[in-house]
Structure formats: C-alpha cells, structure tokens
Amino acid sequence: MTLSAEALALYQDAVESLASNSPAWLAGLRRKALDRFATNGFPSPREEEWKYTNITAIERKGFAVATSMGEVDPAWIGSLLLPECWHLVLIDGHFARDLSHPALVGDVVFCDMEAAKLRHADLLAEGFGQAVDVDHGFIDFNTALFQGGALIRLNPGTRLEQPIQILHILTQAAAIPTRHLIQIGEEAEATVIESHAGVAAGLTAHVSEVLLGKNASLKHFIIQEDHQRAFHFGGLYVRQETGSRLAQTQFALGGFLARSEIHVTIGKDCETLLDGLHWANGRRHLDTHTRLVHAKPNGTSRENYKVIAEERGRSVFQGRIVVEPGAQKTDAAMNNRNLLLSDDAEVDSKPQLEIYADDVKCAHGVTIGQLDPDALFYLQTRGIDAESARQLLLYGFVNELIEAVDVEPLRGYLHRQLDRRFHAIPLEENP
Amino acid sequence: MTDTLLKIENLHACVEDKHILKGIDLTLDYGQVHAIMGPNGSGKSTLANVLAGRDGYEITEGRVWYRGHDLLAMPPEERAREGVFLAFQYPVEIPGVSNIYFLKAALNAIRKHRGESEVDAMDFILLVKEKMKRMQMDEQFLYRAINEGFSGGEKKRNEILQMLVLEPTLCLLDEIDSGLDIDALKIVAEGIEALRSPERGFLMVTHYQRLLDYVQPDVVHVFANGRIVKSGGPELARELETKGYGWIEHYLEAQAR
Ligand SMILES: Nc1ncnc2c1ncn2[C@@H]1O[C@H](COP(=O)(O)OP(=O)(O)OP(=O)(O)O)[C@@H](O)[C@H]1O
Ligand SMILES: [Mg+2]
C-alpha cells in the first residue's frame, strides 16, 4: 500500500537527518529504501507471505521514529542482563553506554553502530546488505531508518569464549528500527544472544544480518519478551559459507503482534539448526516465517518449532525449504508441534517444500493437538490434580527446549522466567 | 481398618459401546496379595484402569468400595491421595519434566491431602536415593525426564520406585513383570515384598508364574472375556502355567451353551 503524504513526510525528515550522518553509500541505500517504502508501504495481507499476519494495525498507528532514549529502571535492566556475557544495551534504539560493556577491538570487534560508522567504516561497507536477499516493507523501513545497532566481527580462527548479549529495550510508543551486522570469519566461533524487552506499545523493526565464513560456527538466540501491547518485526538473514554451522533458537514469549523471519542461504557441507517456541497466550499473535535455501550440496538443516496457543492466542508458522538445482545430498527436516489449548486460540502451520534436485532427503511434519491424555492421567494417578498436571505438561513442553540451551546463564534465565509463569506449582531448576 | 480394603461388586464397564467388563466381583482384604491372570484382551488392564480412574470408560453397572468409600465417585488424583496406586502396563513418557520433580510433586500432593507439611528437600533426596538403591537404579535417572528414553525394564523399575516413595495402601500392578530380565524381575519383586504389610493390599496382573514365585499370592483369579471365571490359591497359577488357557475356553463354551 502506498504511503500517505503525511506519513511519508514524517519519515522523509528522519531519513535525511540520518543520511547526513551516514557514509555516502549508506545514505544512498537509505534514500532508495525510503523510495521503495513510500511506494509499497508495509506488506499487505494480500501477499501470500503475509496472509495470516495482518499488520494494518501497525500502518494505522503511523509510528514516528524514536528520536531519544527513554527512562529505564536500572534494576530492571540488571535483571535482564545475563551474567558472564558481554553486554550491549540499546534503549529505544539508542546506545546506552553506561549500561553496556566497553567496545571490543582487535580479533573481535564488538561495538554499537555509531562507533562502527566512525571506526569500522570499511567492515560495515563490506558486509552491509550482503545477507538480506528478500525485499519487503519492513526491511526497507529498517534500511532507511535504522539508527542503533551493533557490529560484531570475528577475525578468522578467533573463538569468542564469552557470549555476547545485545539487549533491546523499548520504552515509548514509537518505531525503533535497529540493525546488527554479524560477521564471523573462517573457522571462528561465537555465541550471540539478542534479547528484546519493553514497557511500551511501540514497534520494533529489527534486522540482523549474519555472514558466516568457511567452517565458522554461530550459536544465535532471540529472546522476545516485548510488552504485551507492542508490535515486533524481527528479521534474521544469514549467509553460510562452506562447512559453517548455525544453531539458532528463539523464544517468542511477548508482544501483541510479533513476526520473526529467518532466512538462511546454506552453502556446501553446512549445518543449520533452528529451534523455537511460540507462547501465544492472552491475545498474542506470534508469527515465525523461515526460509532455508539449500544452495549447495550436502547441507543439513533441522527445524523444530513448538507452539503453545491458549486463551485467544494465535500462532502462525510458515516454513519454506528450497533445494536449488545441484544441491544434491541435502538433508532437510522440519517439524512443527502445536498445542492448541482453547477454542478461541488459533494455529496456522504451513510447510512449503520446493525441491529442484533429485538426490535429497526432505521431511516435514506438523502436529496440532491437545495435551496427551495418557500423560495427564499418569500424573493424576500420582496424586497431582488435573490443573497442576496440565501445567506440568506445559512446563515440560517448554522446558525440553530450555534444557537444550547450552549457554548456562541463558538457560538459568529462561528457567527462572518459566518458573515465574508456573506459579501454580513451585517448580525448581534441575541441578 | 474396619472396612474392607477393596470390594468390587458386579462391575460392568464399556468403552465406546464395547462391553468389556461383564460383572466383576472381587474382595481384597488388608494384607492380601491377589493375582489376576488371563488371556490377552480379557479385560485385566481395563479393570486396573477403571479402579485408578481413567477417563473414557462407562460404568454401566456395579459398585466399587475402597475402605468403605465409593471409589468410582472420586477423581483419579483423589484416589491416589487416598492411597490407590497403579503401576502402568505401559508407563508414559513425559518429556521436559524430571523424575525428581515429579516424585516430589506427587509426594507433596499426597502429604498435603493428609494434612502434612511439604517434605523437606534434604530428607526427600535421602529418601529417594535410598529407594533407588533398593531398585538398583542409577541416580542419574532422577534428573532425566519421566520415563523418556528409558528401556522397558527401566520404566518398570521406575514404577516400583514411585510406589516405594509414595507408600500407597492399594497397589494395582499391571504386568509389572513384563519386559524384565531375570535380575530385574527379582529386584522388582523384592521392591513389592518390601511394601507387603498388613496395612496394604496388592492386585497384580501377570501372565507368568515367575513373579508369583517371588511374590506369593493369597488368591489367584483367572480372567476371561471380562469375567473372573475361576479363583483359587497359588496352585491355580501353576495349573495355568502347565495347562495353558485352553481349559478356560472349554469352560466358556460350556457356559455359552
Ligand atoms: N479405548 C478402547 N477402545 C476400544 N477397545 C478397547 C479400548 N480399551 C480396551 N479395549 C478392548 O478391551 C479389551 C480388553 O483390553 P485390556 O487392555 O483390558 O486387556 P488385557 O486383559 O489387559 O490384555 P493384555 O493381557 O494384552 O494386556 C480388548 O479387546 C481391547 O482391545
Ligand atoms: Mg493389559
């Protein structure tokens, strides 16, 4: 949908001010992106990829871009920051230096976007836009208007022992476009956690780009705990070179309307693991859209998405796997398990396989069901009442995914978050 | 202890319009062990499930008295809290919930029902570890998800472990001996024997004499086609072992005529 003149004017000024403070190549990209956005607007539900997630509410809100950083309670921020991690905090898209660790330079570069423009302009120019291979309103909006973000760059062979955590905080009813560029050099290894939390009904419009060099390895996490009236778009675009490994896990626990996109171009001999959880309770609408392109032979991909849809919650999962001609010996499997727990909840699951090579293994499975009655009965025969048994099975459903998180401080955090949700029975962490 | 432990009177049960239990009468006294034997599909598990309170059965006739209370009127968790325990023929796997958490939640639910305080965390660990030792189970099983990836025999041991921790009054054991190797059978049988006491009773479904060699029953019932067709002493089990169920078929044919 074409943007109205007023809506456009709102963003034009913002882009001009950002462009004046960007290198020429980026200023050019921003203006072009705004032109496209002016013509197309945000995606419309008429588009196949957006059929189940109607975002006209976002358009209607006409969010202005946040121009300053809101007030936050430092104790609350402290509770969101994970121990033993290297922190970078963005408040309303603005770099919160006081709450962040110092930037890293050397074999590991880790800094906020402003510092990146000043000190690592070459790295930025080299990697920016290299992993995004799709085009729609949110990406254009982000490219035109992003202000904050982070640059992560590992030189070949570097192993980053400490996980990086980038914490995004949203405090105002405004649009917050942020952007990260993550470049992991050959044989290098890193763990990156992107956390989102907020106290206001704004719009997160985030894009992360990841370039994984030969035999590089990245563990990547998205923890989405936005405000329950907030809108969230988060796109993760990854390009994997030969022999590299991506293990991505997302927990979508918050927001009012949240869409997560994960697009991966998978090279030769690569491994790509995607896991995730939607907890669509209340009136939450959670959408995950994945697109894995097996572009070269001998790639392995595994997707496991679990969904809880209860109360008036809604979950959408669209998983697309493309096996390009020549990508022989591809081994892809996608699984989506949905617990549909109330009459008013809704689940849509749409696997799509496009296979243009003949020697491949491609499997997909979708289940939509209730809690296992045999399991409920089993728990009840041990004295656990029906409601607690139900809670315990839900706990197990989620906990299975948490137990698989091999970053200790994050696993501990997720356990605590989970336990808070299960006040019905005092659950405890496993030792 | 004035009332009988378990009294089943003319129990009829249907599943999806299929008549499965066709008039069961059985009285189990405190301190007794009754064995139930009988061909596949004769309704043994159905009886155990009905007693434990599984959904999906329609009780068309009959009553069940447990310590003088109407058992069928209670939801399954209340039966459990009142001391009824079912060891499943096929224990259920529950991913994501650790055995130890489950055991503790179960024990606390039962204690709460009795008006007792929650079990002390340290005491609980010591208690469970002691019982695990008896069942010769490695402690790592505590931290694994309930029955997930357990071998058939490990699942059965885990059932008896739960029984040892919860100390029920009425133990319904549905083929607790199936899938066990010779050593495991002995361990499981010793677990059962350890709980045998004048304050509780056992109803054991089994296909084999082996278990009954370790756990001597007071009464053996033979099930066929939803009925108890014969009851007797331990010698009845041995008779079955040698003769097979063939003679029951004669019995049924005779009855049908
Ligand atoms: N939910 C159900 N729907 C239809 N039929 C059922 C159901 N549950 C049990 N049955 C049938 O009832 C009969 C009795 O089953 P039950 O499991 O009680 O037998 P069993 O004596 O325990 O057999 P086994 O020795 O093989 O364990 C069987 O014919 C079985 O197929
Ligand atoms: Mg059976």
Side-chain angles (χ1 to χ4, degrees):
Chain A
M1 208 197 301
T2 309
L3 233 53
S4 71
E6 312 149 56
L8 186 60
L10 183 74
Y11 297 130
Q12 238 155 6
D13 292 349
V15 168
E16 281 317 312
S17 124
L18 285 162
S20 67
N21 161 31
S22 299
W25 61 267
L26 182 54
L29 284 180
R30 286 186 187 280
R31 292 193 182 103
K32 268 188 224 143
L34 184 69
D35 285 346
R36 281 195 304 273
F37 182 65
T39 321
N40 304 325
F42 287 117
S44 129
R46 280 189 300 277
E47 291 168 50
E48 186 58 28
E49 312 279 79
W50 294 83
K51 200 165 123 189
Y52 302 104
T53 296
N54 188 335
I55 47 128
T56 47
I58 296 177
E59 215 151 32
R60 243 189 348 260
K61 295 259 177 189
F63 288 112
V65 177
T67 52
S68 63
M69 171 182 333
E71 291 281 317
V72 288
D73 171 7
W76 177 57
I77 302 289
S79 73
L80 297 169
L81 289 170
L82 303 172
E84 300 154 46
C85 293
W86 204 262
H87 301 142
L88 190 150
V89 181
L90 298 169
I91 297 177
D92 299 326
H94 297 266
F95 176 50
R97 191 180 308 276
D98 299 348
L99 298 168
S100 305
H101 284 130
L104 300 174
V105 287
D107 278 339
V108 178
V109 170
F110 176 38
C111 64
D112 79 283
M113 207 35 102
E114 287 311 309
K117 279 194 249 167
L118 287 173
R119 287 185 217 106
H120 307 285
D122 50 333
L123 294 181
L124 207 55
E126 182 189 309
F128 193 93
Q130 296 305 303
V132 180
D133 63 344
V134 282
D135 190 13
H136 62 61
F138 278 106
I139 297 169
D140 288 332
F141 183 79
N142 179 279
T143 304
L145 291 157
F146 81 88
Q147 38 194 5
L151 171 71
I152 299 171
R153 153 81 179 212
L154 266 69
N155 276 341
T158 311
R159 218 178 123 189
L160 184 58
E161 296 288 346
Q162 211 167 16
I164 280 175
Q165 185 191 17
I166 306 172
L167 175 61
H168 307 73
I169 300 291
L170 190 155
T171 76
Q172 39 188 310
I176 317 290
T178 47
R179 185 133 177 168
H180 306 327
L181 174 60
I182 301 171
Q183 293 171 280
I184 312 293
E186 272 184 36
E187 314 270 345
E189 284 178 42
T191 298
V192 175
I193 300 161
E194 297 183 14
S195 309
H196 294 265
V199 291
L203 166 67
T204 294
H206 177 72
V207 168
S208 282
E209 287 193 82
V210 176
L211 299 167
L212 282 182
K214 262 183 159 172
N215 300 325
S217 172
L218 175 68
K219 283 183 207 161
H220 186 270
F221 297 89
I222 298 170
I223 313 299
Q224 192 273 98
E225 296 180 290
D226 277 326
H227 183 263
Q228 60 170 354
R229 305 293 305 161
F231 299 94
H232 181 110
F233 172 84
L236 173 66
Y237 305 89
V238 185
R239 183 170 287 280
Q240 284 188 254
E241 298 301 330
T242 304
S244 63
R245 183 172 190 276
L246 170 72
Q248 204 294 324
T249 304
Q250 69 161 330
F251 286 84
L253 306 170
F256 174 67
L257 176 63
R259 155 98 156 195
S260 164
E261 276 191 14
I262 301 176
H263 295 245
V264 188
T265 304
I266 302 168
K268 188 166 172 282
D269 300 329
C270 288
E271 195 178 12
T272 309
L273 310 172
L274 306 184
D275 290 298
L277 173 77
H278 282 180
W279 197 324
N281 57 348
R283 301 189 55 186
R284 214 183 297 294
H285 178 119
L286 298 171
D287 174 351
T288 289
H289 185 101
T290 67
R291 176 172 146 268
L292 302 187
V293 180
H294 283 272
K296 295 275 156 57
N298 211 30
T300 302
S301 67
R302 294 286 178 268
E303 288 179 77
N304 276 301
Y305 284 93
K306 297 175 101 176
V307 169
I308 297 173
E310 57 182 349
E311 292 154 3
R312 301 184 60 188
R314 179 147 184 221
S315 166
V316 177
F317 174 72
Q318 291 194 72
R320 206 163 138 204
I321 297 175
V322 181
V323 181
E324 292 193 339
Q328 302 297 7
K329 305 278 180 205
T330 287
D331 178 359
M334 173 166 55
N335 187 30
N336 177 215
R337 282 178 60 196
N338 298 274
L339 287 179
L340 185 57
L341 300 178
S342 88
D343 291 342
D344 294 324
E346 189 179 329
V347 159
D348 293 287
S349 181
K350 193 173 160 198
Q352 284 171 284
L353 306 182
E354 291 170 37
I355 303 170
Y356 305 106
D358 47 18
D359 185 13
V360 301
K361 273 199 273 184
C362 241
H364 67 88
V366 176
T367 58
I368 299 178
Q370 274 83 51
L371 292 169
D372 176 8
D374 289 341
L376 281 171
F377 176 62
Y378 189 69
L379 294 175
Q380 283 178 279
T381 62
R382 302 307 187 244
I384 297 170
D385 66 87
E387 180 51 29
S388 298
R390 218 184 72 91
Q391 296 288 323
L392 198 53
L393 291 186
L394 274 183
Y395 175 91
F397 187 77
V398 179
N399 192 37
E400 213 185 354
L401 207 56
I402 295 178
E403 288 289 314
V405 170
D406 57 0
V407 179
E408 203 282 318
L410 178 59
R411 189 171 62 246
Y413 173 82
L414 291 168
H415 266 139
R416 285 190 296 281
Q417 294 304 93
L418 182 64
D419 289 356
R420 277 200 353 216
R421 288 180 175 233
F422 286 95
H423 42 81
I425 20 179
L427 294 155
E428 56 186 1
E429 272 178 53
N430 295 339
Chain B
M1 294 215 335
T2 47
D3 292 301
T4 314
L5 177 57
L6 180 73
K7 198 161 166 43
I8 305 172
E9 297 171 351
N10 189 33
L11 184 66
H12 287 254
C14 297
V15 174
E16 291 160 8
D17 294 333
K18 190 174 167 202
H19 198 178
I20 297 172
L21 298 183
K22 301 172 181 167
I24 305 286
D25 289 284
L26 190 154
T27 300
L28 177 72
D29 276 322
Y30 285 99
Q32 283 192 321
V33 174
H34 287 205
I36 293 180
M37 305 184 83
N40 295 135
S42 56
K44 305 178 300 294
S45 293
T46 303
L47 175 64
N49 287 331
V50 165
L51 294 177
R54 188 192 283 267
D55 255 359
Y57 298 96
E58 197 196 338
I59 311 301
T60 50
E61 247 184 282
R63 310 289 301 258
V64 178
W65 303 103
Y66 169 67
R67 309 170 81 183
H69 301 287
D70 181 358
L71 185 70
L72 302 180
M74 303 180 202
E77 60 267 30
E78 197 184 327
R79 299 181 198 196
R81 292 170 189 178
E82 288 286 339
V84 178
F85 179 90
L86 170 63
F88 282 53
Q89 181 173 0
Y90 304 108
V92 184
E93 298 192 7
I94 304 184
V97 181
S98 70
N99 240 339
I100 184 160
Y101 176 73
F102 167 54
L103 268 174
K104 198 168 161 192
L107 183 61
N108 278 333
I110 290 168
R111 288 175 65 102
K112 193 171 159 205
H113 183 73
R114 293 194 200 129
E116 295 166 8
S117 63
E118 282 200 1
V119 62
D120 172 78
M122 211 47 225
D123 293 348
F124 175 71
I125 289 282
L126 290 175
L127 171 82
V128 173
K129 287 191 174 168
E130 181 217 315
K131 307 291 184 195
M132 288 190 96
K133 214 161 151 187
R134 182 188 285 282
M135 295 314 293
Q136 299 191 17
M137 285 171 79
D138 194 291
E139 282 175 19
Q140 54 120 346
F141 282 103
L142 281 179
Y143 305 106
R144 280 174 60 178
I146 304 168
N147 293 326
E148 196 187 37
F150 287 27
S151 74
E154 287 164 352
K155 285 180 183 167
K156 293 302 173 88
R157 280 195 222 197
N158 201 28
E159 293 291 282
I160 297 301
L161 173 70
Q162 291 168 30
M163 186 177 84
L164 291 177
V165 171
L166 302 179
E167 300 187 320
T169 305
L170 172 62
C171 307
L172 310 167
L173 310 179
D174 193 356
E175 296 199 22
I176 195 65
D177 52 343
S178 66
L180 293 181
D181 65 40
I182 297 160
D183 293 341
L185 178 70
K186 191 152 176 274
I187 292 163
V188 160
E190 283 167 1
I192 299 169
E193 277 294 318
L195 272 196
R196 209 168 166 172
S197 91
E199 282 90 50
R200 56 174 66 89
F202 292 81
L203 200 57
M204 296 195 309
V205 174
T206 181
H207 286 293
Y208 306 106
Q209 174 63 36
R210 282 184 315 174
L211 176 66
L212 304 182
D213 289 339
Y214 290 111
V215 186
Q216 274 269 331
D218 300 291
V219 181
V220 175
H221 305 280
V222 182
F223 248 62
N225 193 19
R227 287 192 186 87
I228 294 175
V229 294
K230 201 168 164 63
S231 299
E235 71 289 346
L236 181 56
R238 281 189 288 274
E239 200 181 330
L240 279 177
E241 186 102 320
T242 45
K243 291 191 191 162
Y245 289 122
W247 60 274
I248 291 173
E249 277 161 31
H250 295 302
Y251 178 94
L252 288 175
E253 280 165 23
Q255 208 184 33
R257 263 182 246 128

